[in-house]
Amino acid sequence: MPPSVAATPSHDQPLIDRFGRRIDYLRLSVTDRCDLRCSYCLPRGFDGYAEPEHWLTFDEIERVVGLFAKLGVRRVRLTGGEPLLRRNLPLLAGRLAALPGLTDLSLSTNATQLARHADALHAAGVRRLNISLDSLKRDCVTQLSGRDSLPAVLDGLAAADAAGFAPIKLNMVALKGVNEDEIDAMAAFCIERGYILRLIETMPMGDTGRNAQYLDLGPVREQLVQRFGLVPQAQELGGGPARYWQTADGRGQIGFITPISQHFCASCNRVRLSVEGTLYLCLGNEDKLELRPLLRGGASDADLIAALRGAIELKPERHEFVTQPGKVVRFMSMTGG
C-alpha cells in the first residue's frame, strides 16, 4: 500500500494528538453571554459579544458533536458564558444526549437560572453539574459577581438536588485576600451536603484574568489535608483536570485545579468549541480552527473530519500561562469554560 494511503487515518479512528494524548472530551459553549460579571472573567460594562447570527445553530452543533463522537469523543460539557441563557437549551441537550457514542453530558452553570430549568435538563439527559460558587457570604458574592446572586444560586442548588443530578460539583475560584478565608467553610459545606468542591487557580486570560488575585493552591491543599484528614483519591471524577483528595470515610471529595502552580497538560484530553464555531485547542494558546465557514460553505462530513484531525495536530504540548502570561487576550467567556 502506498505510504500516503497508509498514513491516512480512517474516519473512525480516535483523535490522538502529536504527544499521544487521546482527545475524548469536548467543552461546548452555547453562548458567550452571562448575567453576572465575575471580576476574574468579564470586565464590568463589557458588551463585545458575538452577534446571534454568528452563533452555531442547534443543527450545526448537533452535526459537529456527532462527528466528534464518531472520532471517539465520549464526554461533552455544555458551557458559556452562562449556558442557561441560550433559549431552549434542554432541547439541544436532548438532541446531543441521543447521539451514538456519547456517554456523558454535563453542564457548567452559575445556577442563577437553574431553579427554572433543572427538571427539564435532567429529563433531557444531563446528569452532572458544575456550579460556580466562590463564596457563601452574600456581600462577597455580590462584590465578585456584580449582582446579589447568592439566593438564586442556592435555590438552583436545591432544585438540582431535587431533580436528581449527581454528582454536583461546586467550583470555587480561590482569590488571595478575597475569599481565601472561606475555603475551610466551603469545604465543610460541601462535605456535609454531599457536593464535590473544586478549588481553582485563576488563569491569565484577558485583562480580568491577569489582574485577578492569584492564590497558589499548594499550601491550601496541605492545610485542607490536615483540617479534614484528606487522602489522595485515585478514582477519576468526570474526565477533567482536577486532582482529587477525599476524606478518610470517603464521604467528601475536594479537587484542585492548578494550571499555574502544578499544570496538568501532560494528561489534557479536551478541546473547546466556542458559540461562533471556533475550535480552541488549548486555553493558554491561540491555536484554533474556524468551523463556521466550513459548516456554512457546504463542507461534507469527510471534509469536516479532515479539518478536525488537522486541528488536533496543532494542539500544543502545554499552555504558556507562566512563560507568556500576556499571550491570551480573549476572556474566558469567549472561549467557553
Side-chain angles (χ1 to χ4, degrees):
M1 181 179 293
S4 60
V5 176
T8 301
S10 64
H11 287 344
D12 58 354
Q13 285 184 333
L15 293 172
I16 298 176
D17 71 8
R18 295 172 294 159
F19 307 100
R21 298 171 298 196
R22 181 166 179 165
I23 310 305
D24 61 4
Y25 189 2
L26 174 66
R27 299 197 180 190
L28 170 66
S29 177
V30 296
T31 181
D32 59 348
R33 286 160 168 73
C34 190
D35 54 347
L36 301 181
R37 290 295 181 274
C38 294
S39 58
Y40 50 80
C41 183
L42 273 178
R44 305 289 163 84
F46 176 80
D47 61 359
Y49 297 111
E51 295 297 329
E53 61 264 28
H54 295 161
W55 296 356
L56 294 189
T57 66
F58 283 7
D59 287 344
E60 290 168 337
I61 290 172
E62 183 178 8
R63 183 184 180 196
V64 171
V65 175
L67 293 177
F68 267 113
K70 289 181 179 179
L71 296 172
V73 167
R74 297 292 173 255
R75 305 175 186 271
V76 171
R77 173 171 295 279
L78 302 173
T79 70
E82 170 46 50
L84 294 181
L85 296 182
R86 181 75 184 254
R87 186 176 299 175
N88 295 323
L89 184 66
L91 174 62
L92 174 64
R95 291 172 64 169
L96 298 182
L99 289 171
L102 287 188
T103 59
D104 181 60
L105 182 63
S106 57
L107 173 77
S108 290
T109 176
N110 63 28
T112 60
Q113 313 288 323
L114 186 56
R116 296 190 293 116
H117 298 292
D119 287 337
L121 287 166
H122 194 272
V126 178
R127 291 294 177 264
R128 298 188 300 109
L129 295 177
N130 284 10
I131 294 176
S132 297
L133 183 59
D134 295 326
S135 173
L136 294 170
K137 296 178 180 178
R138 195 165 178 174
D139 58 343
C140 185
V141 171
T142 302
Q143 175 192 348
L144 280 171
S145 71
R147 175 181 158 192
D148 182 15
S149 55
L150 182 59
V153 174
L154 295 178
D155 286 346
L157 265 173
D161 282 329
F165 288 97
I168 295 174
K169 300 177 182 178
L170 297 193
N171 289 350
M172 180 182 188
V173 177
L175 299 168
K176 189 173 183 63
V178 178
N179 62 358
E180 62 179 315
D181 62 335
E182 291 190 65
I183 292 176
D184 277 11
M186 186 69 80
F189 175 85
C190 291
I191 291 171
E192 178 183 346
R193 290 162 177 78
Y195 304 140
I196 298 173
L197 174 62
R198 304 203 314 168
L199 296 169
I200 304 172
E201 291 178 345
T202 56
M203 291 173 276
M205 295 188 65
D207 292 338
T208 51
R210 280 186 288 277
N211 294 332
Q213 297 90 329
Y214 168 76
L215 179 66
D216 184 340
L217 286 180
V220 172
R221 182 179 60 246
E222 294 307 313
Q223 294 167 12
L224 291 174
V225 166
Q226 296 298 319
R227 168 75 172 80
F228 294 99
L230 303 179
V231 295
Q233 177 172 316
Q235 180 186 1
E236 181 266 336
L237 295 174
R243 297 179 174 97
Y244 287 97
W245 293 64
Q246 66 180 14
T247 56
D249 60 7
R251 288 183 56 244
Q253 291 87 29
I254 301 178
F256 300 86
I257 300 179
T258 55
I260 308 301
S261 66
Q262 187 183 12
H263 74 80
F264 36 79
C265 300
S267 60
C268 184
N269 63 340
R270 66 205 71 93
V271 292
R272 290 168 170 83
L273 184 64
S274 80
V275 67
E276 294 182 281
T278 303
L279 184 69
Y280 290 102
L281 289 310
C282 173
L283 271 180
N285 284 276
E286 297 288 1
D287 303 296
K288 59 189 177 182
L289 167 67
E290 300 292 353
L291 280 170
R292 190 180 74 238
L294 298 176
L295 289 164
R296 298 183 182 178
S300 67
D301 285 357
D303 293 334
L304 291 171
I305 286 174
L308 294 177
R309 290 196 182 280
I312 296 303
E313 290 298 305
L314 300 175
K315 188 171 174 64
E317 185 174 12
R318 58 164 299 174
H319 66 66
E320 297 174 338
F321 286 142
V322 175
T323 57
Q324 299 186 57
K327 182 174 183 177
V328 179
V329 297
R330 66 184 186 273
F331 300 114
M332 176 69 84
S333 64
M334 298 168 65
T335 307

